[in-house]
Amino acid sequence: MTATQLRLEPASFPVLVEHPARYSDLDPSRRIGRDALVRWFEDARVAVERDTFGGDLGTRLSGEMRLLLAAVRVDVLAPLRVAGQYRIGLGVTHVGSTSFTYVYAVFAGEECVATGESVSVHATADGPTPLPDPVRAALEGLRVVGDPSPRSGRDLVVREAYPFRLDIRTRFGDIDTNRHVNNVALAGWYLDALAELHLDVLGYPTGGPLDGLQPSSLTVQYLAEVHYPGIYQLRVGVLELDAETVTYACGLFDGPRCIGLAQATGAHHAQAVDGGLVELSATLEPFRMRKV
């Protein structure tokens, strides 16, 4: 069961976090961007974990807990604008041996306007390690009904399968307190790569690609840490193309090694500035994933 199969109302979630929209959250379409929603989910996780693992439990676990994000997904159900106040519903749907899964819903009043999921892994320098029993008990107190599994793309780890390439140099501002590139920055990389692909097929118009080509759904899997300094290859290919939508696959590579994956779905047609319709399905055909 996924977030969209839950009862999408605020009372369904054990935790509700107030979250104001900021001007800096807007993308070129003047709506809250997908990468901004990934940041909102991060803000909600941090706030909940500070409260849940705080007090005596936090004191006992100080210096021991290191939670790494393994995957995140965001689905936009309705336009999110800068005006108004939002609430983020958060709950735990699965607690495993070394990891656990959050489910999210963003509410404007009583209306659910976005959903999401993420997987966090408890790790040490030696790799994933069992969750401490007190943490498992605390997480059980955040349970909601459901047991979603992040969409897998682990068959998409071959660099040469992707026809479109973008090289990315990490910036010092991309790294977080764990000394590797932050998960929100990485989500932004995938959105940037899709924009570059759209520019390529549109012919590099002034002002960038059309707003209607932005994906409505983004799923990201973090397979390994991304470091600063470094130069990485971000690859993109078309996974599915139907009458209305296109699904993209993205892979982040350190040399031939795949260190991150993403999938995004959106429209392949949009309204142009002059009011006409721009249809990209034919121009996207050459970018289908290759068989390797």
Side-chain angles (χ1 to χ4, degrees), residues 3-277:
T4 55
Q5 293 172 299
L6 296 171
R7 293 177 59 201
L8 294 180
E9 55 188 38
S12 303
F13 292 84
V15 176
L16 287 170
V17 179
E18 299 284 341
H19 204 296
R22 300 169 301 179
Y23 181 77
S24 59
D25 292 330
L26 298 179
D27 63 16
S29 70
R30 299 181 181 180
R31 297 174 180 175
I32 305 301
R34 280 66 177 161
D35 52 343
L37 289 173
V38 175
R39 173 75 68 187
W40 287 18
F41 293 164
E42 180 181 62
D43 290 342
R45 285 197 306 276
V46 171
V48 169
E49 289 169 3
R50 183 178 58 240
D51 293 340
T52 304
F53 305 147
D56 293 339
L57 178 57
T59 301
R60 281 182 283 158
L61 297 174
S62 178
E64 298 178 12
M65 283 289 292
R66 184 170 184 249
L67 295 176
L68 301 179
L69 194 68
V72 65
R73 186 177 85 236
V74 57
D75 292 291
V76 177
L77 308 180
L80 284 80
R81 307 186 187 281
V82 72
Q85 188 82 8
Y86 294 92
R87 290 181 292 171
I88 302 172
L90 180 148
V92 170
T93 55
H94 174 73
V95 181
S97 174
T98 62
S99 65
F100 56 95
T101 302
Y102 286 120
V103 65
Y104 311 87
V106 180
F107 295 98
E110 297 297 309
E111 179 189 6
C112 181
V113 292
T115 63
E117 293 172 358
S118 70
V119 177
S120 295
V121 177
H122 181 220
T124 66
D126 297 324
T129 190
L131 290 163
D133 289 339
V135 171
R136 296 174 61 83
L139 290 170
E140 290 293 343
L142 300 175
R143 278 278 192 178
V144 294
V145 176
D147 188 8
S149 299
R151 301 167 186 170
S152 176
R154 294 184 184 273
D155 55 336
L156 303 174
V157 296
V158 180
R159 183 179 58 185
E160 289 71 23
Y162 300 84
F164 188 78
R165 169 179 171 175
L166 178 68
D167 291 341
I168 295 182
R169 182 189 297 270
T170 57
R171 304 173 302 167
F172 181 75
D174 292 332
I175 61 176
D176 59 19
T177 55
N178 289 316
R179 307 302 295 180
H180 58 236
V181 176
N182 179 261
N183 71 90
V184 182
L186 289 171
W189 288 10
Y190 293 115
L191 294 171
D192 286 346
L194 295 178
E196 285 292 327
L197 174 59
H198 294 153
L199 285 176
D200 191 84
V201 299
L202 288 169
Y204 287 82
T206 300
L210 302 172
D211 295 341
L213 298 176
Q214 296 181 77
S216 58
S217 174
L218 176 68
T219 303
V220 180
Q221 289 181 282
Y222 307 94
L223 306 184
E225 293 182 358
V226 182
H227 297 286
Y228 171 87
I231 299 176
Y232 299 90
Q233 284 187 31
L234 209 164
R235 298 287 189 118
V236 182
V238 172
L239 198 60
E240 298 177 5
L241 191 63
D242 62 26
E244 295 294 330
T245 63
V246 54
T247 298
Y248 305 94
C250 305
L252 182 64
F253 294 87
D254 182 7
R257 182 172 69 105
C258 185
I259 58 175
L261 292 166
Q263 287 189 22
T265 300
H268 51 62
H269 52 271
Q271 186 174 4
V273 176
D274 61 6
L277 183 68

